[in-house]
Amino acid sequence: MEPDAKCTVVIVATLDTKGEEAAYLRDHVAAWGLETILVDPGILGQALVPADVSRYDVARAAGTTLEALLERGEKSYAIARQIDGLIAIVQDLLAQGRLHGIVSIGGGQGTSIGTAAMRALPVGIPKLMLSTVASGNFQFGPYVGTKDICMMHSITDVLGLNAISRPILRNAANAIAGMALRLEPEGRSTRPTVAITMLGITTPCVMRVKATLEGLGYDVVPFHANGTSGPAMEQLIEQGEFVGLVDLSTHEVIDQQHGGLAGAPNRMEVLTRVALPAVVSAGGSDYLLFESVEKAPEKYRDRARVVHNKQMTCFAPTPDEMVAAAREMIERLNRALGPAIVLLPAQGFSMQNKAGLPLYVPEGNRAVIDEFCTALRPEIPVVVADLHINDPDFAAMVAAALEGLCRGQAPRAIAARWQSAG
């Protein structure tokens, strides 16, 4: 996008304490020829520089007044309402075509405010948070959520301009300006788009499924089943982005049940709200993920395990734990609105769940298969293949099943071709 009056970056900062820095950031964004809109969602003190959208405007956008918020005397309530107003403002600016990027600066509170506005914007809109808490032991999940927010560490506190903060603020200005200037509308794909979930330990299968479906004319979008991408995928499903789903890697269900690093609440619930053709498997339902042996709950520490890296150690679940995860998946599948088929590889659900490898739990695999075969409603057939999930023939089955569902074939008719062969 060429710099003109229609290319605008929104800058969010509480101007009672971040006014000087916000003005510096604004001026360096404007130096690229971009329009800027400086928004102040603060509640206390006096703004140190004029805002284009004042804190009074933000409160009005939330259906109240700043005076009423201050009179109530509850800071947390006032901030929550200002966040409501800020979200309404940025969404309105986007609808008007006056938001092509957003940047915010702040500490813990400012980061909470700024990223709330960013999470309310669509994927693809440039979003940058320059934050004092973008490093260390802070968890970024509550700030980033399921959106494409860039978190940039401010190094210094955001309080005045100095030899360290100036170049960092300039970098932030240059980053958001560059993203906004290069922002181009992404038209909807002319090919039908399919979502697929993956993990490193199911990647060989996903790569083959992807190649096959792309050869058939589909656009395939992979999502890493790491506790965030699964929910992000499901939000996009609700927005109507996909014609089909291959939920191959459902690890987020079992991890959520045990407080693992990659847990995601309510995974697969989207199938009960959207009538989407779905091929489902149990990829990654054969391990629990914690940071390390020392940081895992004590009851898991003596189990078979694989150290993936310094931040991730995979522990073997018990058969009962695997069945509990299967039951949660089955409960949601039994309420699914669209056509679905379950494909299960009897020789293992992930790279390490294979004969001779540390996380091979054959009795757990068998128990999961039995649970699916007995507890799913008849309209959702279960095909059990005497294969490993990463075998080429299993990938071929997955791709063929999804293609059949998308073409309107009945799930039981699709399943019959393999069940009769077996």
Side-chain angles (χ1 to χ4, degrees):
M1 179 179 293
E2 294 298 323
D4 57 35
K6 295 182 180 179
C7 190
T8 305
V9 169
V10 173
I11 300 164
V12 177
T14 53
L15 299 183
D16 54 337
T17 59
K18 309 291 186 278
E20 185 180 18
E21 304 88 327
Y24 187 84
L25 182 66
R26 175 200 61 200
D27 293 346
H28 279 81
V29 171
W32 284 84
L34 296 168
E35 294 293 312
T36 61
I37 298 175
L38 181 57
V39 183
D40 177 15
I43 55 171
L44 301 174
Q46 296 295 319
L48 301 176
V49 297
D52 299 304
V53 180
S54 74
R55 57 189 59 187
Y56 299 93
D57 299 326
V58 174
R60 281 192 291 270
T64 184
T65 65
L66 187 63
E67 292 81 4
L69 295 177
L70 293 174
E71 183 177 349
R72 180 169 174 142
E74 295 180 31
K75 183 179 179 182
S76 61
Y77 176 82
I79 290 171
R81 296 308 306 274
Q82 289 294 81
I83 288 174
D84 291 340
L86 177 62
I87 289 172
I89 286 166
V90 298
Q91 290 179 330
D92 185 54
L93 289 171
L94 180 69
Q96 295 176 39
R98 298 177 62 206
L99 191 155
H100 302 91
I102 181 170
V103 59
S104 183
I105 56 175
Q109 195 68 267
T111 301
S112 180
I113 294 168
T115 56
M118 296 176 192
R119 291 193 304 275
L121 295 171
V123 169
I125 297 295
K127 310 169 186 73
L128 176 62
M129 182 72 228
L130 180 63
S131 169
T132 64
V133 298
S135 187
N137 293 324
F138 292 98
Q139 297 296 312
F140 298 151
Y143 298 128
V144 176
T146 58
K147 294 301 175 70
D148 51 340
I149 297 173
C150 301
M151 296 289 289
M152 181 176 178
H153 191 204
S154 66
I155 307 297
T156 69
D157 207 339
V158 186
L159 186 66
L161 301 175
N162 53 64
I164 305 299
S165 67
R166 284 191 187 91
I168 293 171
L169 285 162
R170 286 198 301 271
N171 287 343
N174 292 339
I176 195 64
M179 286 189 278
L181 286 168
R182 298 294 296 174
L183 179 65
E184 297 178 4
E186 186 72 28
R188 293 187 67 87
S189 173
T190 57
R191 300 190 296 170
T193 305
V194 170
I196 187 168
T197 53
M198 67 179 286
L199 295 157
I201 52 180
T202 60
T203 294
C205 182
V206 172
M207 291 176 68
R208 293 186 181 104
V209 173
K210 183 174 182 289
T212 300
L213 290 176
E214 287 177 345
L216 293 170
Y218 292 88
D219 192 5
V220 181
V221 183
F223 291 86
H224 191 201
N226 59 8
T228 300
S229 283
M233 175 192 74
E234 294 188 351
Q235 284 186 6
L236 292 169
I237 287 172
E238 293 204 87
Q239 293 170 22
E241 293 291 336
F242 304 112
V243 301
L245 165 66
V246 178
D247 210 346
L248 182 83
S249 309
T250 46
H251 168 75
E252 289 160 312
V253 175
I254 194 168
D255 242 25
Q256 178 67 20
Q257 291 182 342
H258 296 271
L261 295 178
N266 305 315
R267 267 288 271 118
M268 300 177 65
E269 278 282 351
V270 70
L271 296 178
T272 70
R273 298 190 296 271
V274 179
L276 185 75
V279 176
V280 176
S281 192
S285 296
D286 46 16
Y287 74 96
L288 306 171
L289 185 64
F290 298 102
E291 185 173 346
S292 64
V293 174
E294 295 75 21
K295 293 186 178 181
E298 188 172 354
K299 70 177 183 177
Y300 304 109
R301 293 177 188 172
D302 292 332
R303 299 187 184 187
R305 58 185 179 269
V306 172
V307 177
H308 189 59
N309 55 43
K310 290 183 178 180
Q311 291 78 34
M312 300 178 186
T313 298
C314 304
F315 295 80
T318 67
D320 285 347
E321 289 167 349
M322 293 176 69
V323 168
R327 285 175 178 159
E328 185 170 332
M329 294 167 62
I330 290 165
E331 189 277 331
R332 286 162 193 173
L333 282 167
N334 278 339
R335 294 186 288 121
L337 300 179
I341 185 170
V342 173
L343 301 182
L344 297 174
Q347 294 183 19
F349 303 157
S350 70
M351 197 173 288
Q352 292 291 338
N353 182 232
K354 192 173 186 178
L357 295 179
L359 299 184
Y360 186 51
V361 187
E363 61 275 22
N365 295 352
R366 187 68 252 173
V368 166
I369 290 169
D370 290 344
E371 191 70 23
F372 271 100
C373 289
T374 58
L376 269 177
R377 59 187 168 94
E379 295 82 3
I380 302 179
V382 180
V383 176
V384 181
D386 189 22
L387 298 165
H388 186 267
I389 196 168
N390 288 326
D391 286 344
D393 287 348
F394 188 75
M397 292 174 67
V398 172
L402 193 281
E403 165 74 352
L405 290 179
C406 288
R407 288 188 176 276
Q409 296 178 18
R412 294 176 71 174
I414 295 169
R417 74 181 72 166
W418 296 300
Q419 290 168 338
S420 60

